[in-house]
Amino acid sequence: MNLRLTFTFTILITLLGLDMLSAQLLPFRSYSIESGLSESGGHDLLQDSKGYIWVATGYGLNRFDGQGFRQYYEDNGLSNNRVHSLLEHSDKKIWVGTESGISILENDSLVTPSYLAELSGIPIQDMFEDRQGNVWIGTSTSGLWKLNQNRTLQHVSEDKFPSIVNVEAIGQTEDDAIWVASREGLLRLEGDQSHQFSEQDGLMADEFLAITVDRYNRVWIGSTEGLIRYDHESFRLFGSEEDLNNLQITTIAVLNYSTIWVGTEGGLARFDGSQFTNYTREQGLPVTIIRSTMIDREGSLWIGTLGSGISYYSGPLFQSFNIDTGLPNNVVTGFIEDEESNIWIATYGGGIAVYDGDELTVMDESDGLVDNKVYTFYKDTDGRIWIGTSNGISIYDDGRFETFEAFGINFRSVRKIHRDDSSGHLWIATYNDGLYHLREDGYDHFNTSNIFPNNTVMDIKKDDEGIYWFATYGGVAKYDGENFEFITIADDLPSNGVIHIYIDHEGDKWFSTFNGPARYTDGQVERLVRSRQIDTIFYFAIQDAAGRYWFGTNRGMILFRKDDFYAAQTELDRIFSYRYFTTNQGLIANELNAGGSFLASDGALWLGTVEGLSRFDTDLIRENNLAPGLEFEEILISGNSVDPNREYTFTHDHNFLQASFSGLTYDAPEQVIYEYRLRGYDQEWQIGRENLVRYPSLPSGEYRFQVRAFNADGAGGEKTAQFYFTILPPFYFQWWFILSMLTLFIGFVMFIIRYYRVRKQVDIEKMRVQIASDLHDDVGSSLTELALQSDFLQAFKISEEMRSTLKQMGEQSRKIVTSLDDIVWSIDARNDTAGDLTDRMQDYVNQMFNNGKFEVLYHFEELDMDEKLPVQIKENIYLIFKEAVNNIVKHSNATRADIRFSFNGRDFELLVHDNGTGADINRKTGQGLNNIQMRATRIGADVEIDSEKGFSIHVMGKVE
């Protein structure tokens, strides 16, 4: 191949290269005033049983939930805004030691109980509850106090150690001995015995600032001379000889047997049992004066500082570099490892940095590099390193750079270089100038003018079958040595903008695009994100030494749990198959770079970003199996705050639920997943990362809001926080209103029915009166006239036969008039009362017994004379009465009759009884008795006829 290498610049890097002391930045995540902390001093730290982090500051008490701070001040009941110490009592109440005594937080209210009033005005430095339930209190001006279980306060210093004034820390060993660190000495109290240690006991310090008893029953003591360990046999001092950079130990936190963290006036130090590793500003610590430390229940370290709030450190997962620690430029675009295991770092504008494990060495144009804007590296089988830049290609070999030239091509923006070892051919991918294929006898230039879909080619890979794969901004190009084949969005590629291609250990291809990742297997493209459009750019894919898959994106690194992804049964399972690692976990920046990934021989991943680089030790990843704490932060109903621990009933116009809650985990608080639902409204669980949900315009009903929290590794879900409430329907939907309306409706319908009935009855009565009047006036008068005419004609001389006929005609006419009179009376609506009936009865009796020899007694005393009788009842009762009287007149030899009638609106009764010797009620021709039976049957009444002791007719019935 006719390729010419032109020597441009020769230099011995070891003699003239620029060496820069490199300090790795460790992932300290800081929270201070700009994060919402009330003041920049972290005097003490506490994680309570719920999972909240409490911070004692110089201006107020702070509670942290991973997302924000809540403050408590004197206005909230705090005895003094300057807070020194914190304690969670066994009764789950938070004790707050301040500059002026102790306040206790209970049900979100701060109070100072009367049994602690004696401490008011005294600065409280430390509080410790022993296993017996006594609370030991260290002060800075009056020594040691003890609050006994019976809530009596004892001034221990005054009784036993008057010289002990400034108590800094208190602890307890397994033998129940109380250890006290003070400015005036170290004390041990066991029962009634006590001892103040001195030089004779082997103690090599006089002033003590901290004390911690670890779970191995070792006593660690912070002094002004260094760290002291007491192992129940002797004291041992660790300090300058063990590389501790500052001897004034202010705080101690024990992670495990060989990891003891100490805070000093000069920074943070980790002690492994024999040696200290110091952390200062150079390693990313915001300030060097440390006031407090704490290990949370997830195993991470919290640091309280003087001047920069609090910091969180989860371990050396990431070690980072930027221009402040030796990088020539923060934009890192690629890596390669040379034969001596040095890591070469490509930067855009700063040339190359080489890291040997201790120091960074920078090489740039002054050293012969063709251009400082470096994109990519390629190491050939000869150990030479090819460097693709914005303005050409350099080859580093034997300590010097040479510029690569071939066929007069001006190589610009070289994004990838690949040399085929079998043929010696070179493939060079460029940004906006297509793909070059260089052979011994010439070259091919593939671009949009011939076959390529786009002139930007970002990556080149060759698989085990000898097929080349090219990532372009027009899709993926596949070359088998003779023909090109293209894979685009038409083949379900997420985007034609392909940035990177990775071939995994199984031979599958992974395409990173501007719209998500895709897997190519068995000739098919598989999208890994369901959404057709996402806001995450995927720059590269890579596998670590353990075979785990990683994606570099503009939102951080993503651990892709491939097996979990394909085994997922639910959307929640799919979510947990992706795990983000971001700046919160120590990555120097969330915006990764194309080409900015490399797996080094030691198993570390090197990652290039727009703000520097991070070395990612994936072997240190620990899965967090501790479920996050879960608490409601606030429940609002139509803007009004309510207690989530109570059940409520609200009116229909209070129907807007707003709930905020916190999943209390601090490893990745922004990655907490919430499952929530409103029972009575939601059919299924809803999934999201937001810790605030709203339900406006809820209909009436019984509701139960439920929420569960999961950390970034999927742990959680065991605890469900719940809030019960009921929304009443509007008054017009409530049962009493509906019943009232139904009653009113039924009443109205009944009123209408009755109205029409009454109206119809009135009309009938009017018609009855009209008929009665017409019968009386027309028919009655005509019959009367007929009777008079027959009487008049009898006065003439006529035959006896005619006279007899006229007489019969007159009598019959009068008889008909009498019957008609009864009919008219019964029809006439003006005669419908009981009084009208009894009057008619008396008129008829007077008519029948007009000789004055017959005694008739009426029994109508209990009768309501104004009570109306139904027409049929009135008519038939009267006709039965007439038949009874006629029977007395015709068939009885009685001298007295009793007539009784009663009616109460429903039941009626008629009794007619005489004192005669009786009538024969068994006579076959007794038409009157038959009429009585027939009329009683018409009105559904029972009739009894008796002739044993006088003749009696007894009729009883009910109005239907």
Side-chain angles (χ1 to χ4, degrees):
M1 178 168 56
N2 185 20
L3 305 179
R4 183 166 57 90
L5 300 178
T6 302
F7 175 71
T8 305
F9 195 84
T10 303
I11 189 168
L12 295 176
I13 300 301
T14 56
L15 295 177
L16 300 179
L18 178 60
D19 289 345
M20 300 183 67
L21 182 64
S22 62
Q24 301 172 1
L25 293 174
L26 293 175
F28 291 99
R29 186 198 314 163
S30 296
Y31 302 93
S32 193
I33 294 174
E34 63 275 7
S35 305
L37 192 65
S38 63
E39 201 254 356
S40 60
H43 298 167
D44 197 10
L45 294 160
L46 168 73
Q47 183 173 33
D48 67 19
S49 54
K50 293 180 179 179
Y52 289 112
I53 301 295
W54 296 85
V55 187
T57 77
Y59 186 68
L61 172 67
N62 291 252
R63 190 192 74 183
F64 185 51
D65 60 12
Q67 301 291 336
F69 290 90
R70 179 177 178 182
Q71 293 83 25
Y72 298 82
Y73 301 106
E74 292 177 8
D75 292 342
N76 306 109
L78 195 61
S79 56
N80 192 291
N81 280 336
R82 187 169 181 81
V83 183
H84 297 295
S85 56
L86 299 168
L87 166 72
E88 183 178 24
H89 196 271
S90 54
D91 62 5
K92 308 305 180 186
K93 297 174 185 176
I94 304 298
W95 290 44
V96 187
T98 75
E99 185 73 10
S100 303
I102 298 173
S103 297
I104 297 178
L105 183 68
E106 180 180 7
N107 297 326
D108 214 35
S109 297
L110 282 159
V111 296
T112 300
S114 58
Y115 55 83
L116 293 173
E118 190 175 351
L119 296 172
S120 296
I122 300 175
I124 309 299
Q125 291 293 98
D126 192 27
M127 296 174 290
F128 178 81
E129 183 182 12
D130 65 24
R131 282 185 283 273
Q132 290 70 41
N134 306 304
V135 177
W136 297 80
I137 302 163
T139 74
S140 62
T141 58
S142 61
L144 182 67
W145 296 70
K146 178 183 177 184
L147 180 69
N148 297 299
Q149 287 178 287
N150 60 5
R151 293 185 175 178
T152 58
L153 197 60
Q154 176 187 356
H155 195 178
V156 179
S157 287
E158 186 177 64
D159 297 340
K160 298 182 178 181
F161 304 100
S163 63
I164 302 299
V165 176
N166 190 344
V167 175
E168 295 286 350
I170 306 165
Q172 185 179 28
T173 49
E174 290 180 356
D175 58 1
D176 290 337
I178 299 297
W179 290 69
V180 181
S182 77
R183 296 276 182 173
E184 294 79 24
L186 178 67
L187 308 178
R188 183 179 184 274
L189 294 82
E190 186 175 6
D192 295 331
Q193 298 181 350
S194 59
H195 180 69
Q196 182 169 352
F197 294 96
S198 65
E199 188 176 348
Q200 286 73 26
D201 299 299
L203 194 60
M204 294 156 283
D206 298 321
E207 194 172 345
F208 305 94
L209 308 176
I211 195 165
T212 296
V213 180
D214 65 21
R215 61 179 179 270
Y216 314 104
N217 204 33
R218 298 176 300 181
V219 182
W220 297 92
I221 305 154
S223 76
T224 55
E225 302 296 329
L227 178 65
I228 300 172
R229 184 182 68 198
Y230 179 74
D231 55 9
H232 304 283
E233 292 182 358
S234 61
F235 293 98
R236 182 176 176 182
L237 176 66
F238 303 95
S240 301
E241 292 184 2
E242 289 76 24
D243 292 334
L244 183 62
N245 68 351
N246 188 288
L247 299 181
Q248 189 148 326
I249 307 291
T250 56
T251 177
I252 305 167
V254 179
L255 176 62
N256 52 44
Y257 192 84
S258 58
T259 306
I260 295 89
W261 292 96
V262 297
T264 74
E265 296 284 344
L268 182 70
R270 178 173 56 84
F271 183 58
D272 62 8
S274 59
Q275 204 74 17
F276 287 95
T277 301
N278 298 291
Y279 301 89
T280 63
R281 286 179 179 271
E282 292 182 352
Q283 286 75 38
L285 199 63
V287 294
T288 57
I289 301 178
I290 310 300
R291 283 288 175 257
S292 58
T293 53
M294 178 194 72
I295 305 295
D296 68 18
R297 61 189 187 186
E298 294 174 322
S300 298
L301 175 68
W302 292 81
I303 307 145
T305 73
L306 180 62
S308 191
I310 61 174
S311 293
Y312 170 91
Y313 179 68
S314 60
L317 197 61
F318 291 94
Q319 298 170 355
S320 299
F321 300 85
N322 59 17
I323 58 175
D324 295 328
T325 58
L327 271 185
N329 190 284
N330 275 342
V331 180
V332 177
T333 54
F335 303 92
I336 199 70
E337 186 173 5
D338 65 21
E339 299 296 328
E340 287 77 33
S341 299
N342 300 315
I343 302 298
W344 290 55
I345 303 160
T347 73
Y348 188 77
I352 299 168
V354 180
Y355 183 65
D356 63 4
D358 293 316
E359 296 176 346
L360 283 169
T361 300
V362 177
M363 297 182 290
D364 54 23
E365 293 175 8
S366 64
D367 303 307
L369 186 65
V370 68
D371 190 77
N372 282 341
K373 295 177 181 178
V374 181
Y375 287 117
T376 186
F377 295 115
Y378 175 75
K379 186 174 73 170
D380 62 23
T381 54
D382 298 325
R384 298 181 302 175
I385 295 177
W386 298 63
I387 303 108
T389 74
S390 180
N391 195 33
I393 299 172
S394 289
I395 299 175
Y396 183 79
D397 185 26
D398 197 21
R400 63 183 184 180
F401 289 104
E402 294 179 351
T403 301
F404 172 75
E405 294 182 355
F407 306 112
I409 302 171
N410 187 11
F411 297 108
R412 293 187 179 276
S413 299
V414 176
R415 299 308 302 252
K416 205 70 176 179
I417 302 170
H418 179 83
R419 184 170 180 265
D420 191 321
D421 294 328
S422 60
S423 65
H425 294 186
L426 274 176
W427 293 87
I428 300 171
T430 71
Y431 192 94
N432 209 33
D433 194 29
L435 174 69
Y436 289 93
H437 178 205
L438 307 183
R439 305 182 307 278
E440 187 74 28
D441 58 349
Y443 71 96
D444 299 311
H445 186 197
F446 302 105
N447 53 39
T448 54
S449 65
N450 43 53
I451 192 170
F452 251 47
N454 194 283
N455 283 336
T456 295
V457 184
M458 297 292 292
D459 198 12
I460 305 171
K461 291 292 189 300
K462 183 182 180 182
D463 65 22
D464 292 339
E465 297 177 357
I467 296 175
Y468 280 92
W469 300 80
F470 305 98
T472 82
Y473 280 5
V476 175
K478 178 182 177 184
Y479 180 63
D480 62 5
E482 295 182 1
N483 299 305
F484 280 98
E485 178 184 339
F486 299 99
I487 302 169
T488 67
I489 56 175
D491 303 295
D492 210 24
L493 199 62
S495 167
N496 281 340
V498 182
I499 304 171
H500 182 262
I501 298 172
Y502 177 72
I503 302 177
D504 68 17
H505 303 335
E506 299 172 358
D508 291 339
K509 286 74 181 176
W510 298 78
F511 306 143
S512 298
T513 80
F514 283 100
N515 193 38
R519 179 189 181 201
Y520 186 82
T521 181
D522 297 328
Q524 299 292 323
V525 176
E526 177 190 6
R527 298 169 63 101
L528 300 180
V529 179
R530 291 180 177 179
S531 175
R532 307 304 293 184
Q533 188 65 40
I534 63 174
D535 58 357
T536 304
I537 300 172
F538 282 67
Y539 291 115
F540 57 81
I542 193 170
Q543 284 178 279
D544 63 19
R548 291 172 295 198
Y549 290 82
W550 295 87
F551 296 122
T553 75
N554 63 334
R555 296 173 60 190
M557 285 291 289
I558 299 176
L559 170 61
F560 177 63
R561 300 179 173 110
K562 177 184 172 184
D563 293 340
D564 293 346
F565 176 83
Y566 287 106
Q569 299 294 316
T570 66
E571 183 62 25
L572 196 62
D573 293 337
R574 289 177 62 88
I575 291 174
F576 290 137
S577 65
Y578 294 89
R579 207 290 199 189
Y580 280 83
F581 288 80
T582 67
T583 53
N584 275 342
Q585 287 72 53
L587 187 64
I588 195 167
N590 289 337
E591 179 84 29
L592 278 297
N593 266 332
S597 64
F598 180 74
L599 176 63
S601 58
D602 63 357
L605 287 179
W606 288 79
L607 307 171
T609 79
V610 297
E611 296 180 30
L613 70 87
S614 290
R615 180 185 180 275
F616 187 11
D617 191 347
T618 57
D619 288 339
L620 297 179
I621 294 174
R622 53 184 175 86
E623 192 165 302
N624 184 2
N625 294 316
L626 183 66
L630 178 62
E631 298 294 329
F632 282 117
E633 295 300 328
E634 188 175 46
I635 300 286
L636 296 177
I637 296 291
S638 294
N640 299 312
S641 181
V642 297
D643 183 357
N645 298 312
R646 290 180 50 196
E647 291 188 32
Y648 289 88
T649 298
F650 302 105
T651 57
H652 73 282
D653 53 345
H654 286 72
N655 61 351
F656 189 152
L657 169 67
Q658 178 175 302
S660 59
F661 34 84
S662 291
L664 301 173
T665 178
Y666 303 95
D667 172 40
E670 77 287 353
Q671 296 182 51
V672 174
I673 297 291
Y674 297 101
E675 251 192 344
Y676 63 90
R677 67 179 173 185
L678 182 60
R679 295 289 295 270
Y681 186 84
D682 290 326
Q683 298 296 319
E684 303 290 341
W685 287 93
Q686 311 298 311
I687 301 173
R689 296 191 188 275
E690 292 293 327
N691 67 335
L692 186 146
V693 297
R694 296 181 177 90
Y695 287 90
S697 303
L698 289 171
S700 59
E702 295 183 356
Y703 296 101
R704 178 171 42 161
F705 180 71
Q706 300 174 302
V707 61
R708 300 192 293 227
F710 303 84
N711 68 18
D713 290 311
E718 293 87 2
K719 178 181 179 180
T720 301
Q722 304 189 86
F723 172 59
Y724 296 82
F725 66 101
T726 299
I727 296 178
L728 296 175
F731 72 91
Y732 44 81
F733 281 148
Q734 296 194 38
W735 68 267
W736 58 266
F737 183 82
I738 294 174
L739 182 61
S740 300
M741 291 298 99
L742 184 60
T743 302
L744 287 174
F745 177 74
I746 292 172
F748 177 73
V749 171
M750 293 180 67
F751 169 76
I752 295 298
I753 293 172
R754 180 163 180 77
Y755 171 78
Y756 281 105
R757 282 182 178 176
V758 170
R759 183 170 179 179
K760 184 177 180 182
Q761 187 68 28
V762 170
D763 292 341
I764 291 173
E765 289 179 358
K766 286 181 180 179
M767 184 172 62
R768 286 169 56 202
V769 171
Q770 184 65 41
I771 292 172
S773 299
D774 291 345
L775 286 174
H776 182 272
D777 294 342
D778 296 336
V779 180
S781 60
S782 298
L783 289 172
T784 301
E785 185 178 352
L786 179 60
L788 291 175
Q789 287 290 336
S790 65
D791 291 342
F792 177 72
L793 290 175
Q794 291 182 49
F796 292 94
K797 291 182 180 182
I798 54 176
S799 64
E800 287 299 322
E801 183 178 358
M802 177 62 72
R803 189 180 301 280
S804 175
T805 300
L806 290 173
K807 183 179 179 180
Q808 291 178 6
M809 184 181 297
E811 291 175 353
Q812 191 67 29
S813 296
R814 288 185 177 86
K815 185 176 180 180
I816 292 172
V817 168
T818 301
S819 298
L820 183 62
D821 187 52
D822 288 339
I823 294 172
V824 169
W825 175 83
S826 64
I827 291 175
D828 196 337
R830 292 170 293 184
N831 302 321
D832 283 348
T833 66
D836 295 326
L837 176 60
T838 56
D839 289 345
R840 187 73 174 177
M841 289 178 176
Q842 293 178 62
D843 289 342
Y844 186 71
V845 168
N846 291 336
Q847 179 183 341
M848 297 300 293
F849 300 105
N850 55 6
N851 56 8
K853 297 180 179 181
F854 197 89
E855 182 182 10
V856 180
L857 298 177
Y858 300 99
H859 302 281
F860 303 146
E861 296 84 1
E862 298 179 0
L863 186 64
D864 182 0
M865 294 301 177
D866 294 325
E867 187 78 43
K868 282 199 170 189
L869 288 163
V871 176
Q872 191 175 11
I873 300 295
K874 179 187 73 172
E875 177 185 5
N876 285 286
I877 286 292
Y878 177 66
L879 294 176
I880 291 172
F881 168 77
K882 283 182 66 176
E883 290 290 351
V885 171
N886 284 334
N887 270 287
I888 293 173
V889 173
K890 292 180 181 180
H891 306 294
S892 176
N893 56 0
T895 60
R896 172 183 168 178
D898 288 273
I899 300 172
R900 182 186 305 277
F901 178 69
S902 65
F903 178 62
N904 61 7
R906 178 172 175 79
D907 300 315
F908 59 86
E909 181 181 9
L910 173 67
L911 176 63
V912 179
H913 176 71
D914 66 22
N915 62 352
T917 55
D920 185 4
I921 63 174
N922 296 316
R923 289 182 298 116
K924 294 181 180 180
T925 59
Q927 185 63 37
L929 298 179
N930 290 335
N931 288 339
I932 290 173
Q933 292 282 2
M934 178 189 68
R935 296 185 186 283
T937 301
R938 284 181 181 175
I939 58 175
D942 297 324
V943 62
E944 295 178 1
I945 302 175
D946 189 12
S947 60
E948 288 209 5
K949 296 181 180 180
F951 177 72
S952 68
I953 295 176
H954 190 193
V955 180
M956 294 173 293
K958 293 183 179 181
V959 176
E960 297 297 335

